[in-house]
Structure formats: structure tokens, C-alpha cells
């Protein structure tokens, strides 16, 4: 009796803590303090994508890699220092994540119009949203008010409990997302981000040579780009969505159904398991994909933000003030 009362109380308190940190994010956070924020970010993202369409994918991925390691606090933007090994050389990031220069450009543009006000973590969230929309995906209102971390964690970023590796099976993906408060629906919808962008041979080699749940001619075409010996052509690139690699649409799910996915983990979403139905829904109903993707992005953006007087507003996204 007493112990169940105590545990109810703990659940109640934890509920308040989780609820309150998220409740501090709001769509109008910078309305008064930085009214030019949205057009300022948008202009830099538009220019970067006009130079290279793939940059939209790279910016979207940066927000994901931020939120999945100790919450959306821009820890992944910190450069290593003599006393801190950051996240940039961790397995999911090394020779892979990109777009830091564009974030620097956005940050300097924002610092010019409202110095010391807007966090790097919020810039990542806005740049991700703009990238999706510029590549013809949906538009939505991002929640803001995050603050920036004072430290980063190589260990957290190098762990499979952080960003899941492309060798993951479906149950590992679902439990990874669950550990961050994200549902299986969030997983399948957010995975639609792979409708844009590229992967390296190193990431897709095992799937195109060793898996049997892959369309043979699609596997052969990618084998021509990616030699089988590890270390050989590791950085060679192929599009994650073979149909429309620079358009944010639902064709990625059609590729899954036709077994033309580049990564082992992608095909896990449509491999006779519990998420097959949802993949089929997104194939036949692009509106359902858009709306679930937006929900997923809002849920992902809510992961453990620093708010209030926690952390700081960095002046330079690469280092603490
Ligand atoms: C859930 C498990 C996920 C796994 C295992 C995964 C894995 C990967 C891998 C291996 C790559 C290629 C990296 C390389 O070879 O350099 C990649 C690229 C990418 N990922 Fe994911 N990803 C996942 C979820 C997500 C989510 C949730 C998002 C965003 C909401 C996302 C966005 C992207 C984008 C846009 C790219 C292309 C980046 C570029 O071209 O620069 N991924 N992902
Ligand atoms: C980081 O993770 C990779 C891949 O899981 C592993 O091979 C490597 O040893 C790890 N590095 C460190 C320093 O823990
Ligand atoms: C999925 O992967 C996890 C972690 O690598 C492993 O422990 C588990 O046995 C795998 N599950 C299935 C169904 O293969
Ligand atoms: C395929 O699997 C075999 C046996 O596990 C392994 O030795 C080989 O390195 C794998 N090849 C690739 C390209 O992943």
C-alpha cells in the first residue's frame, strides 16, 4: 500500500519534470527577441541547397544526430578540445556527417540580427524543417527555446544505444526509439527522412552482398559502385532513395516494398514484421506520411532539451562561450 503510493508519487513527479521541460519549448519563443529569425535561417539554407541539393539531407540528419545523443542540445556541433573528446569522430559521424559550415553561416547571420539570443540547438531544428520544405516536403511550426550544452560525449555517440547502426534489426530499432520516448510509428515515419541523401559503401556493403531480401538487379547495380572488400571504396556514395534522391516524398517507402533499399536497417521496416502495414500505408497515402513525419519531428525535437537557465546560448556553435 505504502510502496504503491510512493511509486505513484514518483511517477507523478517524473511526469511533471518531463512535462515541464517540454512545456518550455514553444513556437513563438523568439517572437519578441528575434523577429527576423525564420527568414534569416531560411535564406542561408536556400542558398546552401541551391549550391548542392544533398545539403538539405545533411542538415536534417544533423538535427537527428543531435537529439539522439543526450537530447537536442547541439552537443554534436562542438569541436574536440584538449580536454574534451566530442561526438564528431564517433562511429555514426566519422567521415559521414556534414553541414557544419552551413550551420556556422546560419549562426553568424543570426548573430548579426539578434546577438546572443538564439541557441545552436534551435538553429538545427529550424534548418532541418527548412531543408525538408525546400526539397518539396511539408512545412510545420517548430518548437523552440532549447539551450546549448557545455559538453559533448564521444562515448554516448559511439554507442549503439545512441544512433542505431545500419546493421540493426527491427526489434533493436524499436527499442532504441522507445528508450527516447519515440514510438514504432515515429520510427517508421522519421525513417522516411531517407527519401533524401546519400550513404557510403561502408554503410551498405553488407546489405548488397550478404542479404537475400534485396532485389538482385538493384544489388548488382550498387555492387558496381561498392567493392566487396572492406576498406575498398568505403566512401563511394549511392542515394538512399533510388527513385527521387533530392525530393522529399513517399517514394522511399515504395522502394522498401520493392526490396530496393540500400541499408540493412531500412529493409528491416518492411521484412515481414510488425511495421509492414505502416510502410504500405505511407506508400498509398502521402498525406498520412507527411502528418506522421511532422509528429515524429516534433517528438524527436522534444528529447531532453536544456531550458531555462540550463546550458548557455553559444556565440560560436563549435565551442562553448
Ligand atoms: C532509425 C535508424 C536510422 C539508421 C540506422 C540510420 C542510418 C543512416 C546511415 C547509415 C546513413 C548513411 C551514412 C553514411 O554512410 O555516411 C544515413 C543517412 C541519412 N540519414 Fe539516417 N538513419 C536512421 C534514422 C534517421 C532519421 C530518424 C533521420 C532524420 C529524421 C535520418 C536522416 C538521414 C539523412 C537525411 C541521411 C543522408 C545524409 C546525407 O546525405 O548527408 N536518419 N542514415
Ligand atoms: C566506436 O564504435 C566502433 C563501432 O561500433 C568500434 O569499432 C570502436 O572500437 C569504438 N571506439 C571506441 C574508442 O570505443
Ligand atoms: C536483434 O538484434 C539484437 C541486438 O543486436 C539481438 O540481441 C537480437 O537477438 C536480434 N533479434 C532478432 C529477432 O534477430
Ligand atoms: C558476408 O558474410 C560473411 C560471413 O559472415 C563475411 O565473412 C563477409 O565478410 C561478409 N561480406 C560482406 C561484404 O559483408
Amino acid at each position: 500500500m505504502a510502496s504503491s503510493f510512493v511509486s505513484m508519487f514518483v511517477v507523478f513527479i517524473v511526469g511533471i519534470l518531463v512535462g515541464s521541460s517540454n512545456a518550455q519549448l514553444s513556437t513563438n519563443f523568439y517572437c519578441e527577441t528575434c523577429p527576423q529569425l525564420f527568414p534569416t535561417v531560411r535564406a542561408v539554407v536556400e542558398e546552401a541547397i541551391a549550391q548542392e541539393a544533398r545539403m538539405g539531407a545533411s542538415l536534417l540528419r544533423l538535427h537527428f544526430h543531435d537529439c539522439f545523443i543526450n537530447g537536442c542540445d547541439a552537443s554534436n556541433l562542438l569541436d574536440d578540445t584538449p580536454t574534451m573528446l566530442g561526438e564528431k569522430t564517433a562511429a555514426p559521424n566519422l567521415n559521414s556527417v556534414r553541414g557544419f559550415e552551413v550551420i556556422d553561416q546560419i549562426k553568424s547571420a543570426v548573430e548579426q540580427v539578434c546577438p546572443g539570443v538564439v541557441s545552436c540547438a534551435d538553429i538545427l531544428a529550424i534548418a532541418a524543417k527548412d531543408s525538408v520544405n525546400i526539397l518539396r516536403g511539408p512545412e510545420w511550426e517548430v518548437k523552440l527555446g532549447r539551450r546549448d550544452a557545455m559538453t559533448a560525449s564521444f562515448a554516448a555517440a559511439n554507442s549503439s544505444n545512441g544512433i542505431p547502426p545500419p546493421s540493426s534489426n527491427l526489434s533493436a530499432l524499436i527499442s532504441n526509439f522507445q528508450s527516447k520516448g519515440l514510438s514504432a510509428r515515429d520510427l517508421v515515419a522519421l525513417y522516411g527522412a531517407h527519401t533524401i541523401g546519400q550513404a557510403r559503401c561502408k554503410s551498405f556493403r553488407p546489405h548488397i552482398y550478404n542479404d537475400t531480401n534485396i532485389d538482385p538487379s538493384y544489388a548488382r547495380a550498387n555492387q558496381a559502385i561498392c567493392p566487396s572488400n572492406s576498406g575498398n571504396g568505403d566512401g563511394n556514395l549511392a542515394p538512399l532513395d533510388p527513385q527521387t534522391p533530392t525530393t522529399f516524398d513517399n517514394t522511399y517507402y515504395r522502394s522498401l516494398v520493392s526490396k530496393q533499399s540500400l541499408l540493412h536497417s531500412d529493409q528491416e521496416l518492411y521484412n515481414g514484421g510488425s511495421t509492414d502495414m505502416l510502410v504500405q500505408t505511407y506508400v498509398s497515402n502521402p498525406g498520412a506520411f507527411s502528418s506522421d513525419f511532422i509528429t515524429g519531428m516534433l517528438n524527436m525535437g522534444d528529447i531532453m532539451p536544456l531550458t531555462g537557465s540550463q546550458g548557455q546560448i553559444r556565440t560560436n556553435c563549435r565551442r562553448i562561450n
Side-chain angles (χ1 to χ4, degrees):
M1 183 80 176
S3 85
S4 84
F5 177 78
V6 168
S7 59
M8 270 175 63
F9 187 70
V10 168
V11 167
F12 179 67
I13 292 294
V14 168
I16 286 181
L17 291 176
V18 169
S20 69
S21 73
N22 292 347
Q24 289 172 41
L25 296 186
S26 66
T27 55
N28 58 3
F29 191 82
Y30 297 109
C31 268
E32 305 288 322
T33 52
C34 194
Q36 311 97 304
L37 174 60
F38 291 110
T40 304
V41 176
R42 179 91 179 191
V44 182
V45 177
E46 265 172 6
E47 173 62 23
I49 291 177
Q51 298 273 320
E52 185 205 19
R54 184 189 173 196
M55 189 51 73
S58 307
L59 294 174
L60 172 57
R61 188 169 182 234
L62 277 183
H63 180 47
F64 162 53
H65 282 209
D66 176 24
C67 294
F68 265 52
I69 306 301
N70 294 330
C72 313
D73 61 0
S75 57
N76 62 329
L77 302 181
L78 288 173
D79 284 340
D80 295 349
T81 71
T83 53
M84 188 207 67
L85 179 57
E87 297 168 18
K88 291 183 176 181
T89 58
N93 294 331
L94 183 66
N95 300 323
S96 180
V97 284
R98 56 204 292 283
F100 297 113
E101 296 77 11
V102 176
I103 297 298
D104 292 340
Q105 284 166 23
I106 299 172
K107 179 62 174 173
S108 7
V110 170
E111 285 297 298
Q112 283 193 356
V113 293
C114 19
V117 168
V118 181
S119 67
C120 298
D122 281 343
I123 285 176
L124 285 174
I126 302 169
K129 184 271 296 178
D130 282 338
S131 295
V132 167
N133 185 242
I134 291 165
L135 295 174
R136 294 198 258 154
E139 174 70 300
W140 67 94
E141 287 195 272
V142 285
K143 287 164 67 179
L144 302 168
R146 303 169 188 85
R147 292 169 63 86
D148 299 324
M150 313 280 284
T151 186
S153 172
F154 174 88
N158 206 54
S159 153
S160 62
N161 299 323
I163 293 142
S167 55
S168 305
N169 60 34
L170 181 60
S171 56
L173 291 171
I174 290 175
S175 66
N176 179 297
F177 272 56
Q178 208 160 41
S179 74
K180 292 158 182 100
L182 301 179
S183 66
R185 182 175 284 265
D186 291 328
L187 166 70
V188 180
L190 284 172
Y191 226 120
H194 287 184
T195 179
I196 52 176
Q198 311 263 324
R200 291 165 307 148
C201 167
K202 185 185 167 81
S203 304
F204 61 80
R205 179 183 285 125
H207 183 52
I208 60 168
Y209 284 101
N210 266 355
D211 283 345
T212 51
N213 58 352
I214 182 168
D215 171 66
S217 72
Y218 176 75
R220 265 195 308 278
N222 283 296
Q223 287 166 2
I225 300 169
C226 180
S228 62
N229 304 358
S230 102
N232 234 335
D234 278 4
N236 296 355
L237 295 171
L240 286 158
D241 173 357
Q243 312 302 325
T244 54
T246 58
T247 306
F248 194 99
D249 58 15
N250 69 334
T251 54
Y252 163 79
Y253 296 101
R254 211 169 296 154
S255 309
L256 293 185
V257 170
S258 52
K259 309 266 172 193
Q260 300 192 349
S261 70
L262 201 52
L263 305 176
H264 175 84
S265 51
D266 289 39
Q267 197 58 60
E268 282 290 303
L269 301 185
Y270 190 85
N271 194 36
S274 59
T275 50
D276 281 19
M277 289 268 285
L278 200 47
V279 168
Q280 271 159 351
T281 300
Y282 294 156
V283 169
S284 58
N285 187 343
F289 166 53
S290 284
S291 108
D292 287 355
F293 182 79
I294 293 170
T295 303
M297 288 296 283
L298 293 173
N299 290 342
M300 185 173 89
D302 269 346
I303 299 175
M304 282 166 44
L306 300 174
T307 56
S309 59
Q310 297 171 310
Q312 62 178 201
I313 304 297
R314 274 181 229 146
T315 312
N316 177 332
C317 293
R318 293 174 183 268
R319 43 186 167 270
I320 62 173
N321 297 340

